[in-house]
Amino acid sequence: MIELSNVSKIYDSGQSAVHALRSVDLKVAKGTIHGVIGLSGAGKSTLIRCVNLLERPSSGSVIVDGQEMTRLDTQALNRARHRIGMIFQHFNLLTTRTVYANVALPLELMGIKRQAIKARVLPLLDMVGLGDKAKQYPSQLSGGQKQRVAIARALASKPSVLLCDEATSALDPQTTSSILELLRDINQQLGITILLITHEMEVVKSICHRVSLISNGELVEDTEVGDFFTAP
Ligand code: ADP
Ligand code: ADP
């Protein structure tokens, strides 16, 4: 479903260059939850942003759902991104829009008609447990509720892949568990492939099928989660 081959990323500011990814190879199988774990600065965020080309790799190939992302023109890339949802550590909701309008936004940008948007948004809000919050603003919600809105927004365009960038890192342990449960449901019931990055072992332990370890821009291990936590 996702295949990165020989992906490198160099941030070059002119004075200094940071080698954030070094020849990364990563395969994420359809229908799985794949975690990438590593310390701060290891390259996790760069890696996940290379999947939907929020960052453009300096070299290498990125295939999602059979499409080579690095070769798409702007229009084709926008279409491809509808198939790739993303959620973030700090939710990235629009504060001036209601919960409903945040989830509706990607559909509005796709030019979908109002009634069809409504028919998509309301069931999504129910699915994430916020059926009664449509008219609230993000500032009126808890962190966990905000992340649920972000998840509904990410699913609005019916993606086949969901990217999670430290999605539970700003949440307390109990809220983290409930969001991870929701992600597990989304994977099982909707068959959506999930790639997540985290610095927390517990996240990997509780929902991932496979895990890759990233260190200093290199993927140094890629195993079944069961094997990862078994001492050699
Ligand atoms: P992680 O998500 O694991 O904390 P990042 O991918 O954010 O790691 O960062 C990897 C390396 O790339 C770090 O050394 C970081 O400072 C550097 N880096 C990240 N983004 C940029 C950027 N926009 N410009 C320059 N360096 C960056
Ligand atoms: P109309 O009734 O004029 O067709 P819509 O149903 O499209 O209008 O909604 C108009 C605006 O109201 C939308 O842009 C959306 O932000 C908001 N909205 C629509 N349905 C709901 C709802 N169930 N709960 C909260 N806000 C809604």
Side-chain angles (χ1 to χ4, degrees):
M1 176 59 66
I2 302 174
E3 186 168 357
L4 273 59
S5 306
N6 209 13
V7 168
S8 294
K9 174 70 185 183
I10 298 166
Y11 294 107
D12 195 347
S13 66
Q15 297 160 339
S16 64
V18 178
H19 220 128
L21 296 177
R22 302 163 189 268
S23 302
V24 166
D25 292 319
L26 173 69
K27 274 188 197 182
V28 179
K30 191 179 167 89
T32 61
I33 303 181
H34 193 119
V36 175
I37 191 164
L39 298 175
S40 175
K44 302 181 295 296
S45 186
T46 301
L47 173 66
I48 203 164
R49 292 161 65 88
C50 279
V51 174
N52 58 2
L53 258 65
L54 286 184
E55 292 290 352
R56 193 163 275 277
S58 305
S59 60
S61 117
V62 178
I63 296 174
V64 182
D65 225 349
Q67 268 189 317
E68 172 58 63
M69 299 291 288
T70 60
R71 294 213 197 101
L72 302 178
D73 62 24
T74 308
Q75 228 180 1
L77 181 58
N78 277 335
R79 272 199 303 275
R81 281 179 176 151
H82 296 150
R83 310 283 300 145
I84 307 172
M86 189 165 189
I87 58 172
F88 304 89
Q89 179 172 3
H90 297 294
F91 325 122
N92 295 8
L93 299 177
L94 296 175
T95 54
T96 58
R97 283 186 155 232
T98 63
V99 165
Y100 178 96
N102 266 279
V103 179
L105 182 63
L107 301 170
E108 287 170 15
L109 294 176
M110 289 165 77
I112 292 172
K113 294 223 164 65
R114 257 206 233 165
Q115 283 313 315
I117 290 178
K118 202 169 181 175
R120 177 86 187 126
V121 172
L122 296 179
L124 270 174
L125 288 179
D126 284 337
M127 195 200 76
V128 300
L130 296 178
D132 58 341
K133 301 277 188 240
K135 293 186 169 154
Q136 308 256 314
Y137 285 86
S139 62
Q140 298 172 289
L141 305 178
S142 69
Q145 288 171 332
K146 286 179 196 165
Q147 194 59 291
R148 286 169 185 271
V149 176
I151 289 169
R153 180 180 58 184
L155 298 181
S157 59
K158 302 191 177 171
S160 53
V161 169
L162 179 63
L163 306 177
C164 307
D165 184 347
E166 297 278 5
T168 56
S169 298
L171 304 174
D172 63 61
Q174 206 180 335
T175 310
T176 291
S177 299
S178 77
I179 293 296
L180 293 179
E181 229 167 85
L182 177 59
L183 292 177
R184 192 188 292 125
D185 287 348
I186 286 166
N187 169 253
Q188 287 178 354
Q189 289 167 25
L190 306 178
I192 293 177
T193 304
I194 297 180
L195 174 61
L196 66 84
I197 61 169
T198 182
H199 62 276
E200 295 170 304
M201 287 291 185
E202 284 309 316
V203 170
V204 169
K205 243 181 185 166
S206 76
I207 63 163
C208 292
H209 303 122
R210 259 193 107 77
V211 60
S212 299
L213 179 64
I214 187 169
S215 171
N216 199 17
E218 284 184 75
L219 280 196
V220 291
E221 202 171 330
D222 182 349
T223 60
E224 295 291 323
V225 164
D227 300 337
F228 192 70
F229 289 105
T230 308

